Amino acid sequence: MSRKKELNRKNRKNYMATMDLDNDFDDDEINIDFSEVFAFIRSRVIVLAMIVAIFVGGAGIYTKLFMAPQYGSSGTIFLTPQTTESGTADYTSLNVNSKLVKNVMGLLTQDNIMLKVAENTGMDSAKAVRETLTISNQDETEIITIKAVTSDPKLSKKIVSSTIKVFIETMQDNLNVKNIEVVNPPKLNYEPVGPSLKKNVLLGMIAGIGLDILYIAIAILTDNSIKNRNQAEKFLGLPVLCEVPDMVAPKKEG
């Protein structure tokens, strides 16, 4: 009797030692029982759905209650080409302007420009102004867009207006560049441009689903319970003589 107990103890010990590495493993390869995975998901579907719902709801609530709305304003400038006597655009001037676009975009956010804008708008520093700005260019054009985004719609408009004004004056005074025109002056916009509720909710959903996947993976990989005949024989070191099927109580009529 004691020998049998010792044998069972050894078999149990060997089984538990190899369970994490050899649970449904064969020849050092992972064999995933998808029916087991789906069964686990079905048994935990409410918990998994709640995790996603919590993340989605949390992202929405945080966006609405704790993130300040952001307001944008933008204006565009155009490097106008010189015209010929016949009134057409000068080809050489067009080529020069297209090459100047990148330089102009870089000059717009230089410290000498940003410092004056900071003084005009009451901001703390050139860096603070620069962080609100986005400078962009439409491909193969000499049109440059200056956009500012802050929590104050009036400040956003003021930053763009001041940036354009200071830049044009500086280019005229220092470099004698006089072919920069304002195509679209900045406007006051009270419609928030951010934060995006849809984007944050989507990110919350992705995070919730990611946590669900992690939870499922950990639960299955760390599950050492016996689920089938082969695992029972391996654990006990004895053959299985019979199996008792799941019993379902019959429904009462009436």
Side-chain angles (χ1 to χ4, degrees):
M1 190 70 178
S2 60
R3 184 177 180 181
K4 184 177 180 180
K5 288 182 177 180
E6 182 65 24
L7 179 62
N8 288 339
R9 188 180 299 110
K10 288 182 179 179
N11 288 333
R12 190 179 295 109
K13 183 177 180 181
N14 291 335
Y15 177 82
M16 295 302 293
T18 60
M19 196 61 162
D20 290 336
L21 298 176
D22 198 32
N23 186 14
D24 292 330
F25 282 41
D26 186 17
D27 296 332
D28 296 330
E29 294 183 0
I30 300 177
N31 297 320
I32 300 176
D33 187 349
F34 287 103
S35 62
E36 179 185 331
V37 175
F38 293 140
F40 179 85
I41 293 174
R42 284 196 300 269
S43 66
R44 304 289 198 286
V45 65
I46 295 178
V47 174
L48 298 175
M50 286 180 62
I51 291 174
V52 175
I54 289 171
F55 273 82
V56 169
I61 292 172
Y62 184 80
T63 301
K64 283 291 187 181
L65 300 182
F66 299 102
M67 296 184 71
Q70 300 292 302
Y71 302 91
S73 182
S74 63
T76 54
I77 58 176
F78 177 57
L79 304 182
T80 58
Q82 295 178 358
T83 57
T84 62
E85 293 180 357
S86 60
T88 59
D90 181 69
Y91 181 76
T92 303
S93 177
L94 284 171
N95 286 336
V96 170
N97 285 349
S98 65
K99 293 178 181 179
L100 282 175
V101 168
K102 289 186 178 180
N103 292 332
V104 170
M105 292 175 67
L107 290 171
L108 272 164
T109 56
Q110 292 297 307
D111 282 344
N112 61 329
I113 306 293
M114 296 292 95
L115 284 171
K116 290 182 180 179
V117 175
E119 292 176 3
N120 295 341
T121 58
M123 298 190 71
D124 295 334
S125 63
K127 181 181 178 182
V129 176
R130 191 180 294 112
E131 288 176 348
T132 69
L133 288 173
T134 301
I135 312 297
S136 60
N137 164 242
Q138 297 180 22
D139 292 338
E140 300 182 0
T141 71
E142 288 72 54
I143 298 174
I144 299 172
T145 301
I146 301 96
K147 181 178 181 180
V149 177
T150 71
S151 58
D152 183 352
K154 293 181 180 179
L155 178 60
S156 296
K157 178 180 179 295
K158 193 173 182 180
I159 290 173
V160 177
S161 298
S162 180
T163 300
I164 292 175
K165 182 175 182 294
V166 171
F167 176 71
I168 291 176
E169 290 176 352
T170 302
M171 294 294 287
Q172 289 176 347
D173 295 341
N174 297 346
L175 300 177
N176 198 31
V177 176
K178 300 180 180 179
N179 65 328
I180 303 175
E181 292 186 6
V182 179
V183 178
N184 182 30
K187 297 179 178 62
L188 194 59
N189 183 12
Y190 288 100
E191 186 71 23
V193 296
S196 173
L197 179 62
K198 291 182 179 179
K199 179 181 178 181
N200 290 345
V201 167
L202 180 60
L203 291 174
M205 182 183 294
I206 293 172
I209 293 173
L211 185 60
D212 280 350
I213 294 172
L214 181 63
Y215 169 64
I216 293 169
I218 293 175
I220 291 177
L221 293 176
T222 58
D223 184 8
N224 293 327
S225 61
I226 297 174
K227 299 179 181 63
N228 54 53
R229 177 175 182 163
N230 292 334
Q231 290 182 356
E233 289 179 342
K234 185 175 181 179
F235 177 72
L236 297 172
L238 298 171
V240 174
L241 300 179
C242 66
E243 297 181 41
V244 178
D246 293 334
M247 304 298 291
V248 179
K251 294 182 179 180
K252 293 182 180 181
E253 296 182 359

